[in-house]
Amino acid sequence: MDLFAFSEFADEYQEWLEGGASPRRAAWLDVPVSQLELGRVLSVAPDTPVRDAVKRMNEHRRGAVLVVVRERLVGIFTERDVLQRVLGGELDLANTSVGAVMTSDPDTLEPSATLGQALRTMARGRYRHLPVVDEAGAPVAAVSMRRIVQFVCEAFPREIWNAPPEHPSSGVIELDGA
């Protein structure tokens, strides 16, 4: 008996495993990240003080800044880095460089990567931001989970915005202020 044939993967993809058509998937998963409106690259040098990087992120309403040396990506500095490495370590924002607290050598995407690939990479790595780089390693954009969700909402406005309201289940216990 072939145990693989009884796995969850095999159940979902059995026809494909036997040479049949690929499983049906949403077309928007195959949209290249380059088709999203990602805006200009927001970048800093590794020696930039954390205070200045955070100020730029706030000014541009971004959750991440790419760290670049000679037009090559060397790291990413995110809101999570601020919370875990900067504030958690009680560092001096004016005298700590981004290079000391950034995520070095981050996972990246090519502009031709699909939204499905971006989502898989983000889910596996628990990322909210991913740099998009060209073949030379130069950053061309950064894709965020927020932007992907926004794209899905724009692609399916009727399904998203007209969804029925959610009602609490009958099993919810309400407390009476006592």
Side-chain angles (χ1 to χ4, degrees), residues 14-67:
Q14 190 62 43
E15 183 179 322
W16 176 73
L17 289 169
E18 294 171 355
S22 294
R24 192 172 154 236
R25 58 189 253 147
W28 66 267
L29 288 169
D30 295 322
V31 171
V33 295
S34 62
Q35 289 188 16
L36 297 180
E37 293 177 24
L38 299 175
R40 295 178 46 206
V41 173
L42 183 62
S43 65
V44 296
D47 61 352
T48 303
V50 167
R51 179 190 60 209
D52 296 347
V54 170
K55 183 178 177 184
R56 289 196 67 201
M57 289 165 61
N58 285 330
E59 287 171 351
H60 293 274
R61 300 184 60 160
R62 302 276 184 93
V65 62
L66 303 182
V67 184

Side-chain angles (χ1 to χ4, degrees), residues 74-78 81 85 98 101-106:
V74 296
I76 185 170
F77 180 66
T78 67
D81 293 326
R85 297 178 181 165
V98 169
V101 292
M102 71 182 182
T103 300
S104 298
D105 195 27

Side-chain angles (χ1 to χ4, degrees), residues 43-46 67-74 134 136-139:
S43 65
V44 296
V67 184
V68 177
V69 173
R70 287 184 233 103
E71 298 185 25
R72 287 192 47 86
L73 179 74
V74 296
D134 64 18

Side-chain angles (χ1 to χ4, degrees), residues 80-142:
R80 186 176 290 165
D81 293 326
V82 172
L83 292 173
Q84 293 179 345
R85 297 178 181 165
V86 176
L87 298 178
E90 298 181 16
L91 301 176
D92 179 357
L93 300 180
N95 294 313
T96 302
S97 70
V98 169
V101 292
M102 71 182 182
T103 300
S104 298
D105 195 27
D107 287 338
T108 61
L109 298 171
E110 296 177 355
S112 61
T114 65
L115 292 182
Q117 291 168 320
L119 288 170
R120 181 181 59 233
T121 303
M122 294 171 108
R124 284 183 177 166
R126 300 183 66 212
Y127 308 134
R128 290 187 294 258
H129 302 88
L130 269 176
V132 180
V133 298
D134 64 18
E135 52 282 339
V140 296

